[in-house]
Amino acid sequence: MTRQEATHTQRIPLNKDRVLRTAVALADTTGIDALSMRRLAQELDVVPMALYKHVANKEELLDGMADAVVGEIDPPASGPDWQRVVRGRILSARRVLLRHPWGARVIESRTAPTPAVLAYLDSMAGSFRDGGLSADLTHHVMHAMGSRLLGFSQELFDTSGPSGPPDPALAAHYPHIAELAATAAHDEGSTVGGGCDDQFEFEFALDLLLDGFEGLRRQGWTSARAKASHRP
């Protein structure tokens, strides 16, 4: 940075928005584990104590970063097709988290939903309700979707390893797992080489869920009726 650039940077007033934007950019570059108040202060060319006028501590910084990331998700589209509206919003959330790979981890680590996350979830619930789902069904839909509403999901295991035929020992002991691994390994169109196509798998599950929710809506599903049918 030249002296002129440094002087210009110092003239930019420090505020919470600038602190958060810089923290997000720094996490994108160095990873969330490398982010510290001291490192952030260096990036902003201020003393660390200056940051505490805008964020009380690192946890509050992470809260703000989570909100900044969620704030990048596109607003809901207009139209009567609730599945298209919800699907588009969730895939927008996924694109945001792919831009900020640390985002899902930070969102999951919050002990309570941050304001932007709450606003997003409230809006998503509103999209389900606008689509004709009852409050009862929407409640259970939100549980079923879980983190998928925010564009990420927890996989059972990592399938992005090297391609090739399954290990013979694995096939002998776990024939069905080996069969699935061979199927993934032969997926020439996979975006991750020999492993599973993460984007396809995410959209496959998302579409299954949305179609299932629409089927329940048409049936007039209620939790009371479902619970009654499961009683001995």
Side-chain angles (χ1 to χ4, degrees):
M1 180 182 291
T2 67
R3 179 178 298 178
Q4 183 179 2
E5 290 172 333
T7 302
H8 176 68
T9 299
Q10 289 171 357
R11 284 200 301 265
I12 300 174
L14 191 64
N15 54 42
K16 188 170 184 177
D17 179 65
R18 185 179 165 216
V19 168
L20 294 178
R21 284 189 289 105
T22 303
V24 167
L26 191 58
D28 289 344
T29 303
T30 65
I32 197 66
D33 290 329
L35 178 68
S36 67
M37 300 296 275
R38 182 176 296 277
R39 178 69 182 84
L40 179 58
Q42 290 174 347
E43 189 73 12
L44 288 162
D45 196 24
V46 298
V47 296
M49 287 303 296
L51 296 178
Y52 295 103
K53 296 178 181 178
H54 306 284
V55 287
N57 48 46
K58 188 173 180 181
E59 287 303 304
E60 187 173 305
L61 174 68
L62 293 174
D63 284 347
M65 292 171 68
D67 276 353
V69 167
V70 172
E72 294 181 23
I73 301 172
D74 292 338
S78 59
D81 185 347
W82 74 267
Q83 287 181 262
R84 183 184 67 82
V85 172
V86 168
R87 189 180 195 275
R89 196 93 186 279
I90 290 174
L91 293 182
S92 173
R94 182 168 176 80
R95 289 192 295 272
V96 169
L97 290 184
L98 290 175
R99 290 200 298 269
H100 308 292
W102 49 269
R105 180 175 159 194
V106 168
I107 291 169
E108 284 185 308
S109 71
R110 302 301 85 203
T111 56
T114 57
V117 171
L118 277 175
Y120 174 80
L121 295 178
D122 182 77
S123 176
M124 291 299 288
S127 293
F128 289 121
R129 296 289 284 122
D130 291 344
L133 279 67
S134 68
D136 179 28
L137 178 54
T138 298
H139 170 88
H140 295 284
V141 163
M142 299 287 281
H143 276 290
M145 292 293 287
S147 67
R148 199 174 297 275
L149 285 167
L150 283 157
F152 66 96
S153 59
Q154 180 63 50
E155 298 295 340
L156 288 174
F157 46 80
D158 182 8
T159 59
S160 60
S163 60
D167 186 288
L170 173 72
H173 289 90
Y174 312 106
H176 299 300
I177 294 296
E179 180 185 40
L180 297 182
T183 300
H186 293 137
D187 181 4
E188 299 295 335
S190 174
T191 59
V192 287
C196 295
D197 183 332
D198 291 340
Q199 184 67 25
F200 178 84
E201 301 302 344
F202 185 89
E203 294 188 35
F204 176 76
L206 176 59
D207 290 339
L208 281 179
L209 287 166
L210 295 179
D211 287 344
F213 299 151
E214 173 62 11
L216 293 176
R217 184 194 68 80
R218 291 177 179 175
Q219 296 170 23
W221 182 95
T222 68
S223 60
R225 188 185 307 162
K227 290 173 184 177
S229 68
H230 287 88
R231 291 194 186 108

